[in-house]
Amino acid sequence: HDLLFGRLPVCHVRFADKKLSRLGALLAQHGAGWFAHPLSKGPIARNRKAVTGMTALEDGDELQIGPVRVRIEIRPPDHPDLPL
């Protein structure tokens, strides 16, 4: 499902650092692909390059949202390592 990154309690990934916006970014699936949507004025970075708009994500990408850095792992829905 989609993931919200930020400081607010509604966020799936929360980090209590003022460098992270209350709602920093949304990771959402569109069709067969995953995309990062910046939700704040500040840019996010994909593979250490700033992006200001929606950006497609690929397996192995590094995404930085404020001080939070995550590695993106995209697996098919029927992948055996995923819990049922």
Side-chain angles (χ1 to χ4, degrees):
H1 67 75
D2 299 348
L3 293 173
L4 274 173
F5 286 75
R7 294 191 332 254
L8 292 178
V10 297
C11 294
H12 302 99
V13 179
R14 290 188 305 185
F15 195 68
D17 186 324
K18 296 279 184 182
K19 294 176 190 169
L20 180 62
S21 298
R22 290 177 285 170
L23 289 174
L26 170 70
L27 272 60
Q29 186 174 14
H30 300 290
W34 282 88
F35 295 82
H37 301 265
L39 299 177
S40 65
K41 292 179 184 176
I44 61 175
R46 177 180 171 245
N47 299 327
R48 300 181 186 222
K49 294 182 181 173
V51 293
T52 55
M54 180 177 79
T55 186
L57 298 173
E58 296 180 14
D59 188 49
D61 280 350
E62 179 184 273
L63 189 62
Q64 185 163 354
I65 306 160
V68 177
R69 187 176 295 163
V70 295
R71 178 183 160 89
I72 303 299
E73 292 186 15
I74 300 172
R75 298 182 187 152
D78 59 348
H79 193 280
D81 291 341
L82 294 176
L84 297 176

Coordinates of all heavy atoms in Angstrom, one line a residue:
H1 N 0.8 -1.2 0.0 CA 0.0 0.0 0.0 C 0.9 1.2 0.0 O 2.1 1.2 0.2 CB -1.0 0.0 1.2 CG -0.3 0.1 2.5 ND1 0.1 1.3 3.0 CD2 -0.1 -0.8 3.5 CE1 0.6 1.1 4.2 NE2 0.4 -0.2 4.6
D2 N 0.3 2.4 -0.2 CA 1.0 3.6 -0.2 C 1.6 3.9 1.1 O 1.1 3.5 2.1 CB 0.1 4.8 -0.6 CG -0.6 4.6 -2.0 OD1 -0.1 3.7 -2.7 OD2 -1.5 5.3 -2.3
L3 N 2.7 4.7 1.1 CA 3.4 5.1 2.3 C 3.6 6.6 2.4 O 4.1 7.2 1.4 CB 4.8 4.4 2.4 CG 4.9 2.9 2.5 CD1 6.3 2.4 2.3 CD2 4.3 2.5 3.8
L4 N 3.3 7.1 3.5 CA 3.5 8.6 3.8 C 4.7 8.7 4.7 O 4.9 8.0 5.7 CB 2.3 9.2 4.6 CG 1.2 9.7 3.8 CD1 0.0 10.1 4.7 CD2 1.5 10.9 2.9
F5 N 5.6 9.6 4.3 CA 6.8 9.9 5.1 C 6.6 11.3 5.7 O 6.3 12.3 5.0 CB 8.1 9.9 4.3 CG 8.5 8.6 3.8 CD1 7.8 7.9 2.9 CD2 9.6 8.0 4.4 CE1 8.3 6.6 2.5 CE2 10.1 6.8 4.0 CZ 9.4 6.1 3.1
G6 N 6.9 11.5 7.0 CA 6.8 12.8 7.7 C 6.8 12.7 9.2 O 7.1 11.7 9.7
R7 N 6.5 13.8 9.8 CA 6.5 13.9 11.3 C 5.1 13.7 11.9 O 5.0 13.5 13.1 CB 7.0 15.3 11.7 CG 8.4 15.5 11.4 CD 9.0 16.8 12.1 NE 8.1 17.8 12.4 CZ 8.0 19.0 11.8 NH1 8.7 19.2 10.8 NH2 7.1 19.9 12.2
L8 N 4.0 13.8 11.1 CA 2.7 13.7 11.6 C 2.4 12.3 12.0 O 2.9 11.3 11.5 CB 1.7 14.2 10.6 CG 1.7 15.6 10.3 CD1 0.6 15.9 9.2 CD2 1.4 16.5 11.5
P9 N 1.5 12.1 13.0 CA 1.1 10.8 13.5 C 0.4 9.9 12.4 O 0.5 8.7 12.5 CB 0.1 11.0 14.6 CG 0.4 12.4 15.1 CD 0.9 13.1 13.9
V10 N -0.1 10.5 11.4 CA -0.8 9.7 10.3 C 0.2 9.1 9.3 O -0.1 8.3 8.5 CB -1.8 10.6 9.5 CG1 -2.9 11.1 10.3 CG2 -1.1 11.7 8.8
C11 N 1.5 9.5 9.4 CA 2.5 9.0 8.5 C 2.9 7.5 8.9 O 3.0 7.2 10.1 CB 3.8 9.9 8.6 SG 3.4 11.5 7.9
H12 N 3.2 6.8 7.9 CA 3.6 5.4 8.1 C 5.0 5.3 8.5 O 5.4 4.5 9.3 CB 3.4 4.6 6.8 CG 2.0 4.6 6.3 ND1 1.6 5.4 5.2 CD2 1.0 3.9 6.6 CE1 0.3 5.2 5.0 NE2 -0.1 4.3 5.8
V13 N 5.9 6.2 8.0 CA 7.3 6.3 8.4 C 7.4 7.7 9.0 O 7.3 8.7 8.3 CB 8.2 6.2 7.1 CG1 9.6 6.3 7.6 CG2 7.9 4.9 6.4
R14 N 7.6 7.7 10.3 CA 7.7 9.0 11.1 C 9.1 9.1 11.6 O 9.7 8.2 12.0 CB 6.7 9.0 12.3 CG 5.3 9.1 11.8 CD 4.4 9.3 13.0 NE 4.6 8.3 14.0 CZ 3.8 8.1 15.0 NH1 2.9 9.0 15.3 NH2 4.0 7.2 15.9
F15 N 9.5 10.4 11.6 CA 10.9 10.7 12.1 C 10.8 12.1 12.8 O 10.4 13.1 12.1 CB 11.9 10.7 10.9 CG 13.3 10.7 11.3 CD1 13.8 9.6 11.9 CD2 14.1 11.8 11.1 CE1 15.2 9.6 12.3 CE2 15.4 11.8 11.4 CZ 16.0 10.7 12.0
A16 N 11.0 12.2 14.1 CA 10.8 13.4 14.8 C 12.0 14.4 14.7 O 12.7 14.6 15.6 CB 10.6 13.1 16.3
D17 N 12.3 14.8 13.5 CA 13.3 15.8 13.2 C 12.8 16.9 12.5 O 12.1 16.7 11.5 CB 14.4 15.1 12.4 CG 15.7 15.9 12.2 OD1 15.6 17.2 12.0 OD2 16.8 15.3 12.2
K18 N 13.0 18.2 12.9 CA 12.4 19.3 12.3 C 12.9 19.5 10.9 O 12.3 20.3 10.1 CB 12.8 20.6 13.1 CG 12.2 20.6 14.5 CD 10.8 21.0 14.4 CE 10.2 21.2 15.8 NZ 8.9 21.5 15.9
K19 N 14.0 18.8 10.4 CA 14.4 18.9 9.1 C 13.5 18.1 8.1 O 13.5 18.3 6.9 CB 15.8 18.3 8.9 CG 16.9 19.1 9.7 CD 18.2 18.5 9.6 CE 19.2 19.1 10.5 NZ 20.4 18.3 10.6
L20 N 12.6 17.3 8.7 CA 11.6 16.5 7.9 C 10.3 17.2 8.0 O 9.8 17.6 9.1 CB 11.5 15.1 8.5 CG 10.5 14.2 7.8 CD1 10.9 14.0 6.3 CD2 10.5 12.8 8.5
S21 N 9.7 17.5 6.9 CA 8.4 18.2 6.9 C 7.3 17.3 7.6 O 7.5 16.1 7.7 CB 7.9 18.4 5.5 OG 8.8 19.3 4.8
R22 N 6.2 18.0 8.0 CA 5.1 17.2 8.6 C 4.6 16.2 7.6 O 4.3 15.1 8.0 CB 4.0 18.2 9.1 CG 4.5 19.0 10.3 CD 3.4 20.0 10.6 NE 3.4 21.1 9.6 CZ 2.5 22.0 9.5 NH1 1.5 22.1 10.3 NH2 2.6 22.9 8.6
L23 N 4.5 16.5 6.4 CA 4.2 15.5 5.3 C 5.3 15.7 4.3 O 5.2 16.7 3.5 CB 2.8 15.8 4.7 CG 1.6 15.4 5.6 CD1 0.3 15.9 4.9 CD2 1.6 13.9 5.8
G24 N 6.3 14.9 4.3 CA 7.4 15.0 3.4 C 7.2 14.5 2.0 O 7.5 15.1 1.0
A25 N 6.7 13.2 1.9 CA 6.6 12.6 0.6 C 5.6 11.4 0.7 O 5.3 10.9 1.8 CB 7.9 12.1 0.1
L26 N 5.1 11.0 -0.4 CA 4.2 9.9 -0.6 C 4.8 8.9 -1.6 O 5.2 9.4 -2.7 CB 2.8 10.4 -1.1 CG 1.9 9.3 -1.5 CD1 1.4 8.5 -0.2 CD2 0.7 9.9 -2.2
L27 N 4.9 7.7 -1.2 CA 5.3 6.6 -2.2 C 4.0 5.9 -2.5 O 3.3 5.4 -1.7 CB 6.3 5.6 -1.5 CG 7.7 6.0 -1.7 CD1 8.0 7.3 -1.0 CD2 8.6 4.9 -1.1
A28 N 3.7 5.9 -3.8 CA 2.4 5.4 -4.3 C 2.6 4.5 -5.5 O 3.5 4.8 -6.4 CB 1.4 6.5 -4.6
Q29 N 1.8 3.5 -5.6 CA 1.8 2.7 -6.8 C 0.8 3.2 -7.9 O -0.3 3.5 -7.5 CB 1.4 1.2 -6.5 CG 1.6 0.3 -7.6 CD 1.4 -1.2 -7.2 OE1 0.9 -1.4 -6.1 NE2 1.8 -2.1 -8.0
H30 N 1.3 3.3 -9.1 CA 0.4 3.7 -10.2 C 0.6 2.7 -11.3 O 1.7 2.6 -11.9 CB 0.8 5.1 -10.8 CG 0.7 6.2 -9.8 ND1 -0.5 6.7 -9.3 CD2 1.7 6.9 -9.1 CE1 -0.3 7.7 -8.4 NE2 1.0 7.8 -8.3
G31 N -0.4 1.9 -11.5 CA -0.3 0.8 -12.5 C 0.7 -0.2 -12.0 O 0.6 -0.6 -10.9
A32 N 1.7 -0.5 -12.8 CA 2.7 -1.5 -12.4 C 3.9 -0.9 -11.8 O 4.8 -1.6 -11.4 CB 3.1 -2.3 -13.6
G33 N 4.0 0.5 -11.7 CA 5.1 1.1 -11.2 C 4.9 1.8 -9.8 O 3.8 2.1 -9.5
W34 N 6.0 2.2 -9.2 CA 6.0 2.9 -7.9 C 6.6 4.3 -8.2 O 7.6 4.4 -8.9 CB 6.8 2.2 -6.8 CG 6.0 1.1 -6.2 CD1 5.9 -0.2 -6.7 CD2 5.1 1.2 -5.1 NE1 5.1 -0.9 -5.9 CE2 4.6 -0.1 -4.9 CE3 4.7 2.2 -4.2 CZ2 3.7 -0.4 -3.9 CZ3 3.8 1.9 -3.2 CH2 3.3 0.6 -3.1
F35 N 6.0 5.3 -7.5 CA 6.4 6.7 -7.7 C 6.6 7.4 -6.4 O 5.8 7.1 -5.4 CB 5.4 7.4 -8.6 CG 5.4 6.9 -10.0 CD1 4.6 5.8 -10.3 CD2 6.1 7.5 -11.0 CE1 4.6 5.3 -11.6 CE2 6.1 7.0 -12.3 CZ 5.3 5.9 -12.6
A36 N 7.5 8.3 -6.3 CA 7.6 9.2 -5.1 C 7.0 10.6 -5.5 O 7.3 11.1 -6.5 CB 9.1 9.3 -4.7
H37 N 6.2 11.1 -4.6 CA 5.6 12.4 -4.8 C 6.0 13.3 -3.6 O 5.7 13.0 -2.5 CB 4.0 12.3 -4.7 CG 3.4 11.3 -5.7 ND1 2.9 11.8 -6.9 CD2 3.3 10.0 -5.7 CE1 2.5 10.8 -7.5 NE2 2.6 9.7 -6.8
P38 N 6.8 14.3 -3.9 CA 7.1 15.3 -2.8 C 5.9 16.0 -2.4 O 5.1 16.4 -3.2 CB 8.1 16.3 -3.5 CG 8.5 15.6 -4.8 CD 7.4 14.7 -5.2
L39 N 5.7 16.1 -1.1 CA 4.6 16.8 -0.5 C 4.9 18.1 0.2 O 4.0 18.8 0.7 CB 3.8 15.9 0.5 CG 3.3 14.6 -0.1 CD1 2.7 13.7 1.0 CD2 2.3 14.9 -1.2
S40 N 6.2 18.5 0.2 CA 6.6 19.7 0.9 C 7.3 20.6 -0.1 O 7.5 20.2 -1.3 CB 7.5 19.4 2.1 OG 8.7 18.8 1.6
K41 N 7.7 21.8 0.3 CA 8.4 22.7 -0.6 C 9.8 22.3 -1.0 O 10.3 22.5 -2.0 CB 8.4 24.1 0.0 CG 7.1 24.8 0.1 CD 7.2 26.1 0.8 CE 5.8 26.7 1.0 NZ 5.8 28.0 1.7
G42 N 10.4 21.6 0.0 CA 11.8 21.1 -0.3 C 11.8 19.9 -1.2 O 10.9 19.1 -1.2
P43 N 12.9 19.8 -2.0 CA 13.0 18.7 -2.9 C 13.3 17.4 -2.1 O 13.8 17.4 -1.0 CB 14.1 19.1 -3.8 CG 15.0 20.0 -3.0 CD 14.0 20.7 -2.1
I44 N 13.1 16.3 -2.8 CA 13.5 15.0 -2.3 C 14.6 14.6 -3.3 O 14.8 15.2 -4.3 CB 12.4 14.0 -2.2 CG1 11.8 13.7 -3.6 CG2 11.4 14.4 -1.2 CD1 10.8 12.6 -3.5
A45 N 15.4 13.6 -2.9 CA 16.5 13.1 -3.8 C 16.3 11.7 -4.1 O 15.9 10.9 -3.3 CB 17.8 13.4 -3.2
R46 N 16.5 11.3 -5.4 CA 16.5 10.0 -5.9 C 17.9 9.7 -6.4 O 18.4 10.4 -7.3 CB 15.5 9.8 -7.0 CG 15.5 8.4 -7.5 CD 14.4 8.2 -8.6 NE 14.6 7.0 -9.3 CZ 15.0 6.9 -10.6 NH1 15.2 7.9 -11.3 NH2 15.1 5.7 -11.1
N47 N 18.6 8.7 -5.8 CA 19.9 8.4 -6.1 C 20.9 9.6 -6.1 O 21.6 9.9 -7.0 CB 20.0 7.7 -7.5 CG 19.2 6.4 -7.5 OD1 19.1 5.7 -6.4 ND2 18.6 6.1 -8.6
R48 N 20.7 10.4 -5.0 CA 21.5 11.6 -4.8 C 21.3 12.7 -5.7 O 22.2 13.6 -5.8 CB 22.9 11.2 -4.6 CG 23.1 10.2 -3.5 CD 24.5 9.9 -3.3 NE 24.6 8.8 -2.2 CZ 25.5 8.7 -1.3 NH1 26.4 9.7 -1.2 NH2 25.5 7.8 -0.4
K49 N 20.2 12.7 -6.5 CA 19.9 13.8 -7.4 C 18.6 14.4 -7.0 O 17.6 13.7 -6.9 CB 19.9 13.3 -8.9 CG 21.2 12.9 -9.4 CD 21.2 12.5 -10.8 CE 22.6 12.0 -11.2 NZ 22.6 11.4 -12.5
A50 N 18.5 15.7 -6.8 CA 17.3 16.3 -6.4 C 16.2 16.2 -7.4 O 16.4 16.3 -8.6 CB 17.5 17.8 -6.1
V51 N 14.9 16.0 -7.0 CA 13.8 16.0 -7.8 C 12.7 16.8 -7.1 O 12.6 16.8 -5.9 CB 13.2 14.5 -8.1 CG1 14.2 13.7 -8.9 CG2 12.9 13.8 -6.8
T52 N 12.0 17.6 -7.9 CA 11.0 18.5 -7.4 C 9.5 18.0 -7.7 O 8.6 18.5 -7.1 CB 11.1 19.9 -7.9 OG1 11.1 19.9 -9.3 CG2 12.4 20.5 -7.3
G53 N 9.4 17.1 -8.6 CA 8.1 16.6 -8.9 C 8.0 15.0 -8.8 O 9.0 14.4 -8.3
M54 N 6.9 14.5 -9.2 CA 6.8 13.0 -9.1 C 7.9 12.3 -9.9 O 8.3 12.8 -11.0 CB 5.4 12.6 -9.7 CG 5.1 11.2 -9.7 SD 3.5 10.8 -10.3 CE 3.8 10.9 -12.1
T55 N 8.5 11.3 -9.3 CA 9.5 10.6 -9.9 C 9.3 9.1 -9.8 O 8.8 8.6 -8.8 CB 10.9 10.9 -9.3 OG1 12.0 10.3 -10.1 CG2 11.0 10.5 -7.9
A56 N 9.6 8.3 -10.9 CA 9.5 6.9 -10.9 C 10.6 6.3 -10.1 O 11.7 6.8 -10.1 CB 9.5 6.4 -12.4
L57 N 10.2 5.2 -9.4 CA 11.2 4.5 -8.6 C 11.5 3.1 -9.2 O 10.6 2.5 -9.7 CB 10.6 4.3 -7.1 CG 10.4 5.6 -6.4 CD1 9.7 5.3 -5.1 CD2 11.6 6.4 -6.2
E58 N 12.7 2.7 -9.0 CA 13.1 1.3 -9.4 C 13.8 0.6 -8.3 O 14.2 1.2 -7.3 CB 14.1 1.5 -10.6 CG 13.5 2.1 -11.8 CD 14.5 2.2 -13.0 OE1 15.6 1.6 -12.9 OE2 14.3 3.0 -13.9
D59 N 13.7 -0.7 -8.4 CA 14.4 -1.6 -7.3 C 15.8 -1.2 -7.2 O 16.6 -1.0 -8.1 CB 14.3 -3.0 -7.8 CG 14.7 -4.0 -6.7 OD1 14.2 -3.8 -5.5 OD2 15.5 -4.9 -6.9
G60 N 16.2 -0.9 -5.9 CA 17.6 -0.6 -5.6 C 17.8 0.9 -5.5 O 18.9 1.4 -5.1
D61 N 16.9 1.8 -5.8 CA 17.0 3.2 -5.7 C 17.2 3.6 -4.3 O 16.7 3.0 -3.4 CB 15.8 4.0 -6.2 CG 15.7 4.1 -7.8 OD1 16.7 3.7 -8.4 OD2 14.7 4.5 -8.3
E62 N 17.9 4.7 -4.1 CA 18.0 5.4 -2.8 C 17.2 6.6 -2.8 O 17.3 7.4 -3.7 CB 19.5 5.7 -2.5 CG 19.7 6.4 -1.2 CD 21.1 6.8 -0.9 OE1 21.9 6.0 -0.4 OE2 21.4 8.0 -1.3
L63 N 16.3 6.8 -1.9 CA 15.4 7.9 -1.8 C 15.8 8.7 -0.5 O 15.8 8.1 0.6 CB 14.0 7.5 -1.8 CG 12.9 8.5 -1.9 CD1 13.0 9.2 -3.3 CD2 11.6 7.9 -1.8
Q64 N 16.0 10.0 -0.6 CA 16.2 10.8 0.6 C 15.1 11.8 0.7 O 14.8 12.6 -0.2 CB 17.5 11.5 0.5 CG 17.8 12.3 1.8 CD 19.3 12.6 2.0 OE1 20.1 12.3 1.2 NE2 19.6 13.4 3.0
I65 N 14.5 11.8 1.9 CA 13.4 12.8 2.2 C 13.8 13.5 3.5 O 13.8 12.9 4.5 CB 12.0 12.0 2.4 CG1 11.7 11.2 1.2 CG2 10.9 13.0 2.7 CD1 10.7 10.1 1.5
G66 N 14.3 14.7 3.3 CA 14.8 15.4 4.5 C 16.0 14.6 5.0 O 16.9 14.2 4.2
P67 N 16.1 14.3 6.3 CA 17.2 13.6 6.9 C 17.0 12.1 6.7 O 17.9 11.3 7.1 CB 17.2 14.0 8.3 CG 15.7 14.2 8.6 CD 15.2 14.8 7.4
V68 N 15.9 11.6 6.2 CA 15.6 10.2 6.1 C 16.1 9.6 4.8 O 15.7 10.2 3.7 CB 14.1 9.9 6.2 CG1 13.7 8.4 6.1 CG2 13.6 10.4 7.6
R69 N 16.9 8.6 4.8 CA 17.4 8.0 3.6 C 16.9 6.5 3.6 O 17.2 5.8 4.6 CB 18.9 8.1 3.5 CG 19.5 7.6 2.2 CD 20.9 7.8 2.1 NE 21.2 9.2 2.1 CZ 22.4 9.7 2.4 NH1 23.4 9.0 2.7 NH2 22.6 11.0 2.4
V70 N 16.3 6.1 2.5 CA 15.8 4.7 2.5 C 16.2 4.1 1.1 O 16.4 4.8 0.1 CB 14.2 4.6 2.6 CG1 13.8 5.0 4.0 CG2 13.5 5.4 1.5
R71 N 16.4 2.8 1.2 CA 16.7 2.0 0.0 C 15.4 1.4 -0.5 O 14.6 0.8 0.3 CB 17.7 0.9 0.2 CG 18.0 0.1 -0.9 CD 19.0 -1.0 -0.5 NE 19.0 -2.1 -1.5 CZ 19.7 -2.2 -2.6 NH1 20.6 -1.2 -2.8 NH2 19.6 -3.2 -3.4
I72 N 15.0 1.5 -1.8 CA 13.8 1.0 -2.3 C 14.0 -0.4 -2.8 O 14.9 -0.7 -3.6 CB 13.3 1.9 -3.5 CG1 13.1 3.4 -3.0 CG2 12.0 1.3 -4.1 CD1 12.1 3.6 -1.9
E73 N 13.1 -1.3 -2.3 CA 13.1 -2.7 -2.7 C 11.7 -3.0 -3.2 O 10.8 -3.0 -2.5 CB 13.5 -3.7 -1.6 CG 15.0 -3.5 -1.2 CD 15.4 -4.6 -0.2 OE1 14.7 -5.6 0.0 OE2 16.4 -4.4 0.4
I74 N 11.6 -3.2 -4.5 CA 10.3 -3.5 -5.1 C 10.3 -5.0 -5.5 O 11.1 -5.5 -6.2 CB 10.1 -2.6 -6.4 CG1 10.2 -1.1 -6.0 CG2 8.8 -3.0 -7.1 CD1 10.2 -0.2 -7.2
R75 N 9.2 -5.6 -4.9 CA 9.1 -7.1 -5.2 C 7.7 -7.3 -5.8 O 6.7 -6.6 -5.4 CB 9.2 -7.8 -3.9 CG 10.6 -7.7 -3.3 CD 10.7 -8.5 -2.0 NE 11.9 -8.2 -1.4 CZ 12.1 -8.3 -0.1 NH1 11.1 -8.7 0.7 NH2 13.3 -8.1 0.5
P76 N 7.5 -8.3 -6.6 CA 6.2 -8.6 -7.1 C 5.3 -9.1 -5.9 O 5.8 -9.6 -4.9 CB 6.4 -9.8 -8.1 CG 7.8 -10.3 -7.8 CD 8.5 -9.2 -7.1
P77 N 4.0 -8.9 -6.1 CA 3.0 -9.2 -5.0 C 3.1 -10.7 -4.5 O 2.8 -11.0 -3.4 CB 1.6 -9.0 -5.6 CG 1.9 -8.1 -6.8 CD 3.3 -8.4 -7.2
D78 N 3.5 -11.6 -5.4 CA 3.6 -13.0 -5.0 C 4.9 -13.5 -4.6 O 5.2 -14.7 -4.6 CB 3.1 -13.9 -6.2 CG 3.9 -13.7 -7.4 OD1 4.7 -12.8 -7.5 OD2 3.7 -14.5 -8.4
H79 N 5.8 -12.5 -4.2 CA 7.2 -12.8 -3.8 C 7.1 -13.7 -2.5 O 6.4 -13.3 -1.6 CB 8.0 -11.5 -3.6 CG 9.4 -11.8 -3.5 ND1 10.0 -12.2 -2.3 CD2 10.4 -11.6 -4.4 CE1 11.3 -12.3 -2.5 NE2 11.6 -12.0 -3.8
P80 N 7.9 -14.8 -2.5 CA 7.8 -15.7 -1.3 C 8.3 -15.1 0.0 O 8.0 -15.6 1.1 CB 8.7 -16.9 -1.7 CG 9.6 -16.4 -2.8 CD 8.8 -15.3 -3.5
D81 N 9.1 -14.0 0.0 CA 9.6 -13.4 1.2 C 8.6 -12.5 1.9 O 8.8 -12.0 3.0 CB 10.9 -12.6 1.0 CG 12.1 -13.5 0.6 OD1 12.0 -14.7 0.9 OD2 13.1 -13.0 0.0
L82 N 7.5 -12.2 1.2 CA 6.5 -11.3 1.8 C 5.5 -12.0 2.7 O 5.1 -13.1 2.3 CB 5.8 -10.5 0.7 CG 6.6 -9.6 -0.1 CD1 5.7 -9.0 -1.2 CD2 7.1 -8.5 0.7
P83 N 5.2 -11.5 3.8 CA 4.2 -12.2 4.7 C 2.8 -12.2 4.0 O 2.5 -11.3 3.2 CB 4.2 -11.4 6.0 CG 4.7 -10.1 5.6 CD 5.7 -10.3 4.4
L84 N 2.0 -13.2 4.3 CA 0.7 -13.2 3.7 C -0.3 -12.4 4.5 O -0.2 -12.1 5.6 CB 0.2 -14.7 3.7 CG 1.0 -15.6 2.8 CD1 0.5 -17.0 2.9 CD2 0.9 -15.1 1.3

